[in-house]
């Protein structure tokens, strides 16, 4: 063999070895994380959307060995088969998913459900004929006040949506209606704003889609008092709501406490992906399709913020720039389409999800703890969780507040001790928290209560402030999550034995107004109660 021949042979052997290794890597099937159900099908979707649909099929075969009658597995298999051009197999997988209980809305709803390849085939065409003029997700009441409400829902295709609300009992001038068009560029979402509602009044409402009326017993809500007026109301709140089918009944448990509003304070659906935007849509669709959740949110005001697992990845930093990293704006736009909040940061020119609103005379001021958060590894000088624009807004809003109670809401705990030595909470931004608290003292801001989420348990904390009143913090963030965080001895009370949520009853009609915090388990047991009087916050 000549030297040249030996050289060609060596190259050929090396190329063959490289091809074998590459194929072996391509065929390697990841191991499903059965300890966290919410992650299993997200992994499959990530494989599909990153060019590994064949591997996803093999991955789902492993999943099906463990979860033999799982509708979500069959649905995700259909998405993989659509990607691979296997239309007949995809239709069969969809039929099986429906047989196993997958809601029809998962098949016909959402412009990012992964089933476009079979949308014009007989099965989905039939489903659209049967269900296409009903809300596929929602309705959900958002931005509820004493005089207005937003009805959020998603349609199967572009449609005309009308909402008509009537007082209960009927009264002259009690009928209010509004109409919008849904479009693909906003994922067929309707946000129908009902104005000129009567304060402290019960309404029922009908949703009409392309001429078909949709009524349900849970389509009713109660308006609050006029902004600034005293009143009584109950809110439920929490975070840590990954998709866990066996824990989705928590939404029924919340409904049983009869709250007037629901505050979802981050880690609401657990996305954890900044490169596959379809993952965001998928995680919202899963939750929005659950009958327990739909029943709850159709009849009370829903308000939300995000945290790391909805915005980016675990303990992430968005950074100070508006457009960098490039995934920030798309994530913001998807969040905006899937909620009906009072506001979204500084609008599209200064995106974010901070906002404020009054319920009666209680002022809720909610921050975005991720979009502009700076990274200690790359930041020179003081760190910021808020960024300059949001901080100016926050301090100005606090100073102008007329609330009997002023509730400052953060996605992560205000107290430094909630997460050990972690710098992900305000413990990593002590200078900025000190600045905010000093502002409260300097401007003699009274009546402040804190709320937060993030920790997979429910706590009451009391933050002492030398020379000023103590701040109580209501914290809860294990609505559905399987993963749990240890209880904290430094807290006034700390609970983690079961999934849980908080309720807060505000009564500002009392001579000494009160805020009563309760912790409830997923099974409806009340395990803690504490009342904060307004006179304690002077």
């Amino acid at each position: 063999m000549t030297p040249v021949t030996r050289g060609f042979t060596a190259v050929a052997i090396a190329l063959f070895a490289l091809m074998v290794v590459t194929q072996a890597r391509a065929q390697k099937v990841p191991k499903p994380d059965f300890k966290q159900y919410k992650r299993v099908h997200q992994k499959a979707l990530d494989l599909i959307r990153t060019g590994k649909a064949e591997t996803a099929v093999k991955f789902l075969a492993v999943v099906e060995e463990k979860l033999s009658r799982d509708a979500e597995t069959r649905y995700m298999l259909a998405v993989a088969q659509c990607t691979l051009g296997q239309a007949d197999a995809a239709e069969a997988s969809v039929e099986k998913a429906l047989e196993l209980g997958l809601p029809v809305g998962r098949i016909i709803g959402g412009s990012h459900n992964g089933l476009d390849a079979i949308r014009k085939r007989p099965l989905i065409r039939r489903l659209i004929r049967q269900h296409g003029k009903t809300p596929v997700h929602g309705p959900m009441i958002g931005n509820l006040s004493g005089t207005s409400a937003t009805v959020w829902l998603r349609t199967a295709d572009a449609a005309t949506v009308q909402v008509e609300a009537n007082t209960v009992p009927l009264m002259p001038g009690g009928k209010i209606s509004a109409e919008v068009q849904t479009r693909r560029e906003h994922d067929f979402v309707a946000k129908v704003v009902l104005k000129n509602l009567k304060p402290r009044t019960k309404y029922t409402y009908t949703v009409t889609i392309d001429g078909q009326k949709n009524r349900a017993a849970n389509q009713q809500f109660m308006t609050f008092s006029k902004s600034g007026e005293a009143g009584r109301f109950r809110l439920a709140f929490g975070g840590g709501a990954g998709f866990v089918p066996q824990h989705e009944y928590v939404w029924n448990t919340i409904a049983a406490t009869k709250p007037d509003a629901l505050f979802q304070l981050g880690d609401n659906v657990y996305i954890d992906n900044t490169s596959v935007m379809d993952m965001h849509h998928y995680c919202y669709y899963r939750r929005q399709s659950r009958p327990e959740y739909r029943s709850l949110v159709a009849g009370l005001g829903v308000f939300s913020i995000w945290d790391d697992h909805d915005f980016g990845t675990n303990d992430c930093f968005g950074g100070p720039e508006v457009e960098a990293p490039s995934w920030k704006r798309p994530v913001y736009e998807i969040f905006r389409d899937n909620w009906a909040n009072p506001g979204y940061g500084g609008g599209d020119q200064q995106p974010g999800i901070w906002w404020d609103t009054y319920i009666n005379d209680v002022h809720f001021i909610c921050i975005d703890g991720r979009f502009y958060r700076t990274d200690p590894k790359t930041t020179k000088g003081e760190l910021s969780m808020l960024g300059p624009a949001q901080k100016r807004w926050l301090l100005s809003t606090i100073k102008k507040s007329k609330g009997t109670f002023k509730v400052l809401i953060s996605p992560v705990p205000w107290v430094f001790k909630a997460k050990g030595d972690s710098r992900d909470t305000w413990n990593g931004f002590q200078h900025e928290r000190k600045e905010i608290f000093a502002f409260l003292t300097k401007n003699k801001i009274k009546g402040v209560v804190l709320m937060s989420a993030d920790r997979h348990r429910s706590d009451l904390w009391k933050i002492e402030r030398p020379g000023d009143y103590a701040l109580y913090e209501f914290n809860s963030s294990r609505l559905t999550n399987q993963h749990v965080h240890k209880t904290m001895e430094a807290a006034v009370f700390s609970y983690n034995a079961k999934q849980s949520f908080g309720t807060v009853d505000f009564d500002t009609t009392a001579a000494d107004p009160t805020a009563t915090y309760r912790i409830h388990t997923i099974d409806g047991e009340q395990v803690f109660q504490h009342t904060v009087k307004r006179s304690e916050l002077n």
Side-chain angles (χ1 to χ4, degrees):
M1 184 180 293
T2 67
V4 173
T5 304
R6 282 197 298 271
F8 277 121
T9 302
V11 170
I13 292 171
L15 289 172
F16 178 76
L18 179 61
M19 181 181 69
V20 170
V21 170
T22 301
Q23 289 177 343
R25 287 176 177 172
Q27 293 171 1
K28 185 177 180 180
V29 179
K31 185 178 180 180
D33 180 8
F34 291 114
K35 291 182 179 179
Q36 296 197 71
Y37 179 89
K38 63 178 180 277
R39 302 291 191 202
V40 173
H41 302 98
Q42 287 175 244
K43 180 61 180 178
L45 181 59
D46 187 72
L47 290 168
I48 294 166
R49 289 293 179 256
T50 55
K52 304 181 184 72
E54 291 183 353
T55 303
V57 171
K58 297 174 184 177
F59 173 85
L60 290 166
V62 176
V63 173
E64 195 160 30
E65 289 178 6
K66 176 81 171 180
L67 307 173
S68 60
R69 294 186 58 78
D70 182 62
E72 198 68 32
T73 301
R74 285 290 182 161
Y75 163 78
M76 194 55 68
L77 181 59
V79 175
Q81 290 162 337
C82 281
T83 304
L84 294 169
Q86 300 168 0
D88 290 340
E91 271 198 317
S93 293
V94 166
E95 285 189 298
K96 186 63 176 179
L98 292 169
E99 178 187 318
L100 292 171
L102 194 78
V104 172
R106 292 291 303 283
I107 305 303
I108 66 172
S111 57
H112 297 266
N113 68 4
L115 301 176
D116 278 358
I118 59 171
R119 192 168 180 83
K120 294 183 179 180
R121 288 171 65 96
L123 173 60
I124 295 184
R125 289 180 65 184
R126 172 173 59 81
L127 294 173
I128 291 174
R129 284 196 303 271
Q130 294 172 343
H131 306 280
K133 293 184 180 181
T134 63
V136 294
H137 300 139
M140 172 177 71
I141 303 299
N143 195 20
L144 181 63
S145 72
T147 57
S148 66
T150 300
V151 180
W152 178 100
L153 60 94
R154 179 176 283 112
T155 58
D157 281 306
T160 299
V161 177
Q162 183 188 59
V163 176
E164 180 181 292
N166 279 282
T167 57
V168 179
L170 294 174
M171 61 180 68
K175 183 171 75 172
I176 301 291
S177 66
E179 182 178 294
V180 300
Q181 303 289 321
T182 62
R183 295 180 172 83
R184 188 177 184 88
E185 56 263 35
H186 288 289
D187 207 8
F188 304 124
V189 162
K191 295 184 183 182
V192 186
V193 180
L194 301 174
K195 300 178 180 179
N196 301 315
L197 301 177
K198 299 178 184 297
R200 300 187 303 279
T201 301
K202 184 177 181 179
Y203 283 85
T204 61
Y205 63 96
T206 300
V207 174
T208 301
I209 299 175
D210 283 346
Q212 178 175 304
K213 294 182 181 295
N214 297 275
R215 299 184 180 92
N218 61 348
Q219 288 178 196
Q220 53 184 291
F221 60 87
M222 177 76 75
T223 54
F224 298 119
S225 301
K226 285 184 179 179
S227 178
E229 287 188 358
R232 300 185 185 95
F233 69 95
R234 171 177 293 173
L235 66 82
F237 80 98
F243 184 73
V244 185
Q246 66 267 32
H247 296 157
E248 291 293 310
Y249 72 94
V250 72
W251 310 112
N252 294 336
T253 308
I254 291 172
T257 67
K258 300 187 183 304
D260 303 293
L262 173 66
F263 280 61
Q264 295 186 243
L265 301 188
D267 297 343
N268 300 317
V269 291
Y270 276 82
I271 302 163
D272 289 291
N273 198 304
T274 59
S275 58
V276 177
M277 289 299 108
D278 275 3
M279 192 71 71
H280 292 254
H281 296 285
Y282 169 68
C283 292
Y284 283 117
Y285 296 165
R286 279 195 303 192
R287 175 56 47 65
Q288 291 161 350
S289 297
R290 288 297 301 196
E292 307 93 336
Y293 185 75
R294 294 183 74 176
S295 178
L296 173 65
V297 301
L300 82 172
V302 179
F303 302 86
S304 69
I305 57 175
W306 62 23
D307 198 17
D308 49 347
H309 297 288
D310 304 323
F311 169 66
T313 55
N314 187 50
D315 293 356
C316 61
F317 306 87
E321 303 299 326
V322 171
E323 304 296 347
S326 60
W327 52 264
K328 286 168 58 174
R329 184 173 287 276
V331 165
Y332 155 77
E333 291 172 347
I334 294 169
F335 182 93
R336 184 189 58 196
D337 279 346
N338 281 281
W339 301 98
N341 279 337
Y344 296 91
D348 289 351
Q349 298 303 310
Q350 188 75 57
I353 54 91
W354 66 84
W355 52 266
D356 73 297
T357 194
Y358 281 85
I359 297 180
N360 302 345
D361 58 342
V362 178
H363 193 185
F364 294 92
I365 304 171
C366 296
I367 66 168
D368 180 340
R370 296 294 170 181
F371 200 98
Y372 297 102
R373 177 186 287 231
T374 53
D375 186 342
K377 295 180 181 179
T378 59
T379 302
K380 296 180 180 179
E382 295 294 345
L383 298 173
S384 176
M385 186 184 294
L386 306 176
Q390 182 180 188
K391 188 187 299 184
R392 286 193 299 270
W393 167 85
L394 174 64
L395 299 181
S396 173
T397 302
I398 291 172
K399 189 171 184 178
K400 292 185 293 187
S401 177
K402 303 298 183 183
T404 299
F405 288 101
K406 303 161 186 70
V407 186
L408 306 187
I409 298 180
S410 166
V412 295
W414 294 92
V415 69
F416 294 153
K417 300 176 182 178
K419 196 177 178 181
D421 293 329
S422 171
R423 296 294 187 263
D424 185 58
T425 69
W426 281 98
N427 189 42
F429 303 85
Q430 293 193 18
H431 182 271
E432 192 165 46
R433 198 200 78 165
K434 181 179 179 181
E435 181 183 352
I436 295 167
F437 285 7
F439 182 88
L440 300 179
T441 300
K442 179 181 178 181
N443 291 278
K444 298 180 173 58
I445 307 296
K446 308 303 181 184
V448 173
V449 174
L450 308 176
M451 285 173 56
S452 61
D454 181 66
R455 299 290 78 206
H456 300 178
R457 58 177 189 263
S458 292
D459 297 341
L460 173 67
W461 294 88
K462 187 177 182 181
I463 303 174
E464 299 290 350
R465 295 188 298 156
D468 210 338
Y469 63 92
L471 294 174
Y472 287 92
E473 179 173 2
F474 309 151
N475 175 275
S476 185
S477 193
R478 196 191 175 200
L479 284 164
T480 62
N481 279 1
Q482 293 161 298
H483 182 254
V484 64
H485 293 136
K486 68 178 183 179
T487 56
M488 306 301 286
E489 291 184 4
V492 176
F493 183 81
S494 188
Y495 174 83
N496 73 351
K498 292 182 180 181
Q499 288 75 21
S500 61
F501 61 95
T503 60
V504 186
D505 285 78
F506 289 95
D507 182 359
T508 59
T509 65
D512 190 356
T514 57
T516 300
Y517 172 43
R518 295 179 176 90
I519 296 172
H520 310 260
T521 75
I522 190 173
D523 293 315
E525 304 142 316
Q526 182 181 310
V527 295
F528 180 73
Q529 175 177 325
H530 183 85
T531 296
V532 178
K533 294 183 177 181
R534 178 61 177 77
S535 58
E536 298 178 63
L537 309 177
N538 288 326

